[in-house]
Amino acid sequence: MDAAPLKPFQLSQPERRAMLSRHFVGLVEQLVRDAGSYSDVSVEAIIKAGGISRSTFYVYFADKGDLLVAIAHDVIADLVASGNAWWQLPTDASRDDLRRALRAPIDTYREHRTILATVTETAAYDPRVREQQQLLVDRVVSALADYICNAQRNGAIDATLDVNRVAQWMVWMFERGLYQLIGGADDEETDRLQDSLTDIVWRVIYQR
């Protein structure tokens, strides 16, 4: 028999904070689209959209920047998780396999393009958001570096590649490309960009 779901009062404060931040993702995305930028969205607007009291908001978040940190953790974590489609490829994967795997993070970014663009823009001036972004980027770099190392040991990837630096370049190139190119692209242009990204990754990492 399945256990009964936990009720809010049974959760710890960090768990309730995480639950609230997930609740706010779609609401904040809509507020940002309406206002034009996160800096123009007031705490009052966030509270009203979320259907909670001001006192409840400040129990879990110091300010709207702190809320964005919590949202960033959730949404960027989703983006990181979607990258598993690449890390889980066999080392002898084909170019078509790679293309399909790279589509997963592209689609996740498009789903949350508003909030992820907000995170990127806010990270430029809010050290809390920048730290959250950096921590999660570091996780992706580490995952890609491990994947390249394993493939090198199997003889599937050029053993002379500088693993850590190649992983750093790839991940930051991908992050910037999602923001600058994928964020505003329609379906047809997204397909073309996906092809170009596949070409770059294939030639740098896989093609011998």
Side-chain angles (χ1 to χ4, degrees):
M1 183 175 179
D2 294 337
L6 289 174
K7 297 179 181 179
F9 64 81
Q10 295 175 299
L11 301 175
S12 66
Q13 180 158 336
E15 289 171 330
R16 289 195 294 271
R17 172 185 161 97
M19 184 176 68
L20 267 178
S21 70
R22 177 61 70 175
H23 167 68
F24 275 115
V25 171
L27 300 173
V28 169
E29 286 177 335
Q30 186 59 55
L31 289 171
V32 171
R33 283 193 291 268
D34 292 342
S37 71
Y38 191 61
S39 61
D40 292 327
V41 176
S42 67
V43 171
E44 287 299 331
I46 293 171
I47 291 171
K48 182 177 179 181
I52 64 172
S53 67
R54 171 178 283 271
S55 59
T56 298
F57 178 87
Y58 283 111
V59 165
Y60 299 103
F61 309 107
D63 51 32
K64 68 176 188 177
D66 190 33
L67 170 62
L68 186 60
V69 169
I71 291 175
H73 181 275
D74 281 340
V75 177
I76 300 177
D78 288 347
L79 189 60
V80 171
S82 67
N84 288 335
W86 182 4
W87 325 139
Q88 292 171 358
L89 283 177
T91 54
D92 61 349
S94 68
R95 185 186 177 284
D96 287 340
D97 292 333
L98 175 64
R99 185 184 187 280
R100 284 190 292 271
L102 292 174
R103 186 68 189 207
I106 287 174
D107 286 343
T108 299
Y109 188 91
R110 295 185 79 201
E111 180 183 357
H112 295 297
R113 69 183 76 186
T114 301
I115 202 69
L116 286 166
T118 298
V119 168
T120 298
E121 292 157 7
T122 307
Y125 61 82
D126 190 323
R128 297 169 300 179
V129 178
R130 183 164 59 251
E131 180 182 18
Q132 186 64 60
Q133 183 188 43
Q134 184 65 56
L135 285 171
L136 290 166
V137 166
D138 288 346
R139 281 176 52 192
V140 182
V141 170
S142 178
L144 178 55
D146 288 345
Y147 177 76
I148 294 174
C149 279
N150 289 333
Q152 285 180 325
R153 283 194 291 269
N154 294 336
I157 287 178
D158 186 353
T160 66
L161 283 181
D162 185 333
V163 173
N164 290 325
R165 290 183 176 85
V166 167
Q168 287 173 339
W169 269 111
M170 281 288 172
V171 171
W172 280 111
M173 178 191 70
F174 201 5
E175 191 273 342
R176 288 290 92 186
L178 289 172
Y179 174 67
Q180 295 286 353
L181 303 174
I182 295 295
D186 59 20
D187 291 346
E188 185 176 350
E189 178 61 14
T190 296
D191 289 341
R192 290 173 178 158
L193 289 168
Q194 180 185 0
D195 287 336
S196 297
L197 176 63
T198 303
D199 283 339
I200 292 169
V201 175
W202 182 258
R203 293 179 186 186
V204 171
I205 295 182
Y206 291 87
Q207 188 167 302
R208 298 293 297 273

